[in-house]
């Protein structure tokens, strides 16, 4: 993914209102028709010389709707750079109460401090911003909170599974998703589904798994099981044993996947009517 964000023609934005308007246009172009309602989003920037003192983006009411087929590519910007002026975005605030991803309302609140970037000017008279990767000497700190309703998540998963199965001539006739909290960063997941193909094949399928994040911020997926009381479907699930075992042993180093200047210090999970994930950086 490119770290360059085009912001129109020179000169670079000199006021917060100008930067806000250019950011709205740039985000709209990057969305490639897959985002609706971006014109209603609130974008407010405050400049302090070359630095951006604060940037607040409120995406409440925005909807991300994937296009059918291959998604259009965002226009690329690869200028012949003639100048690069370093700056810092002191506070970035991102909110959505909520935005919609596919058909799932997602409540989002995030704040980052110390985001380095550079104002870039091209030989063709274009200007933009280039993100600078954080480092140990220039870390990014902040926090984030993402929440979805348990019922909404189940409905979205059911919808996606219905479409996937229909492509193979299989009808999903029943579906249930359970997520139970088993610790501050741990959860047990259980899915029960009933499927039907043609007039003669029907079955119930059960899938279970666990997920846990330890103090070193390593996510471990375990206890993955697939089963069915129908012997034909059970045999088909048995052929997937190798892939299931591979998933069951998966460990993902959440902290290690981040750049040196971004340190994940904590994550928390809260499961109730809402499923809430919070993360702390720094």
């Amino acid at each position: 993914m490119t770290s360059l964000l085009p912001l129109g023609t020179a000169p670079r934005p000199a006021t917060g209102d100008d930067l806000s308007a250019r950011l709205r246009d740039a985000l709209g172009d990057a969305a490639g028709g897959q985002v609706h309602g971006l014109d209603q989003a609130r974008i407010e920037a405050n400049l302090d010389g070359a630095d951006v003192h604060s940037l607040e983006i409120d995406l409440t009411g925005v909807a991300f709707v994937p296009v059918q087929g291959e998604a259009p590519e965002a226009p690329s910007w690869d200028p012949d750079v003639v100048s690069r002026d370093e700056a810092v975005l002191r506070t970035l605030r991102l909110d959505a109460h909520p935005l919609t991803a596919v058909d799932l309302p997602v409540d989002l609140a995030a704040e980052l401090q110390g985001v380095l970037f550079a104002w870039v000017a091209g030989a063709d008279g274009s200007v933009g911003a280039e993100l600078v990767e954080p480092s140990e000497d220039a870390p990014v700190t902040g926090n984030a909170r993402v929440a979805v309703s348990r019922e909404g998540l189940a409905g979205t998963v059911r919808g996606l599974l219905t479409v996937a199965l229909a492509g193979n001539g299989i009808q999903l006739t029943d579906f249930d998703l359970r997520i139970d909290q088993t610790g501050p960063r741990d959860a047990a997941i259980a899915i029960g589904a009933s499927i039907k193909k043609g007039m003669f094949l029907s079955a119930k399928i059960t899938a279970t798994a666990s997920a846990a994040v330890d103090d070193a911020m390593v996510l471990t997926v375990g206890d993955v099981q697939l089963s069915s009381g129908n012997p034909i479907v059970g045999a088909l699930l048995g052929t997937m044993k190798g892939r299931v075992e591979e998933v069951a042993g998966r460990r993902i180093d959440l902290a290690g996947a981040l750049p040196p200047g971004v340190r994940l210090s904590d994550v928390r999970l809260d499961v109730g009517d809402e499923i809430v994930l919070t993360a702390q950086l720094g």
Side-chain angles (χ1 to χ4, degrees), residues 158-182:
R158 177 171 186 156
L160 295 173
L161 187 58
T162 297
V163 173
L165 292 175
N168 294 306
I170 300 173
Q171 180 184 1
L172 181 67
T173 59
D174 193 23
F175 177 84
D176 179 64
L177 171 66
R178 288 187 55 189
I179 301 177
D180 295 317
Q181 187 162 359
T182 55

Side-chain angles (χ1 to χ4, degrees), residues 16-199:
D17 288 344
D18 187 13
L19 176 57
S20 298
R22 296 198 197 199
L23 283 171
R24 188 186 304 277
D25 291 340
L27 292 175
D29 291 340
Q34 298 186 85
V35 178
H36 300 168
L38 190 58
D39 55 331
Q40 302 299 317
R42 184 178 66 84
I43 302 177
E44 184 175 321
N46 293 286
L47 301 184
D48 183 10
D51 294 341
V52 179
H53 175 73
S54 63
L55 173 60
E56 298 183 14
I57 302 176
D58 189 333
L59 298 176
T60 300
V62 171
F64 293 82
V65 183
V67 298
Q68 296 296 323
E70 187 173 347
E73 291 187 10
S76 61
W77 184 57
D78 187 19
D80 180 11
V81 176
V82 295
S83 69
R84 181 181 281 105
D85 297 324
E86 295 183 355
V88 61
L89 168 53
R90 294 173 190 161
T91 301
L92 170 63
R93 177 76 188 182
L94 181 63
D95 286 283
H97 306 296
L99 61 80
T100 302
V102 187
D103 62 354
L104 177 64
V106 179
D107 193 90
L108 171 66
E111 185 172 299
L112 297 177
Q113 291 88 33
V115 180
L116 299 181
F117 73 100
W119 296 107
V120 173
D124 59 356
S126 61
V127 295
E130 180 182 37
L131 293 179
V132 176
E133 188 169 289
S135 65
E136 294 287 358
D137 295 331
V140 169
T141 60
N143 57 80
R145 177 188 184 275
V146 180
V148 299
S149 76
R150 181 199 294 259
E151 183 178 350
L153 178 61
T156 296
V157 174
R158 177 171 186 156
L160 295 173
L161 187 58
T162 297
V163 173
L165 292 175
N168 294 306
I170 300 173
Q171 180 184 1
L172 181 67
T173 59
D174 193 23
F175 177 84
D176 179 64
L177 171 66
R178 288 187 55 189
I179 301 177
D180 295 317
Q181 187 162 359
T182 55
R185 306 189 192 105
D186 310 341
I189 304 165
I191 294 176
S194 296
I195 61 171
K196 181 178 180 181
K197 184 170 184 177
M199 297 181 60

Side-chain angles (χ1 to χ4, degrees), residues 194-274:
S194 296
I195 61 171
K196 181 178 180 181
K197 184 170 184 177
M199 297 181 60
F200 304 105
L201 178 62
S202 62
K204 291 185 178 181
I205 298 174
T206 300
T208 59
S210 66
V213 178
D214 62 20
D215 290 340
M217 298 296 107
V218 175
L219 168 65
T220 300
V221 179
D223 304 324
V224 180
Q225 300 288 336
L226 285 173
S227 62
S228 174
N230 184 297
I232 298 176
V233 175
L236 291 173
L237 295 177
T239 64
M240 302 171 59
K241 182 179 179 181
R243 279 179 286 178
V244 170
E245 290 177 346
E246 181 180 343
V247 172
R250 182 165 296 175
R251 290 171 56 85
I252 302 173
D253 186 350
L254 301 176
L258 298 172
V262 182
R263 187 171 69 86
L264 180 64
S265 56
D266 194 19
V267 296
R268 308 293 291 185
L269 175 70
D270 293 290
V271 178
D273 290 338
E274 283 191 321

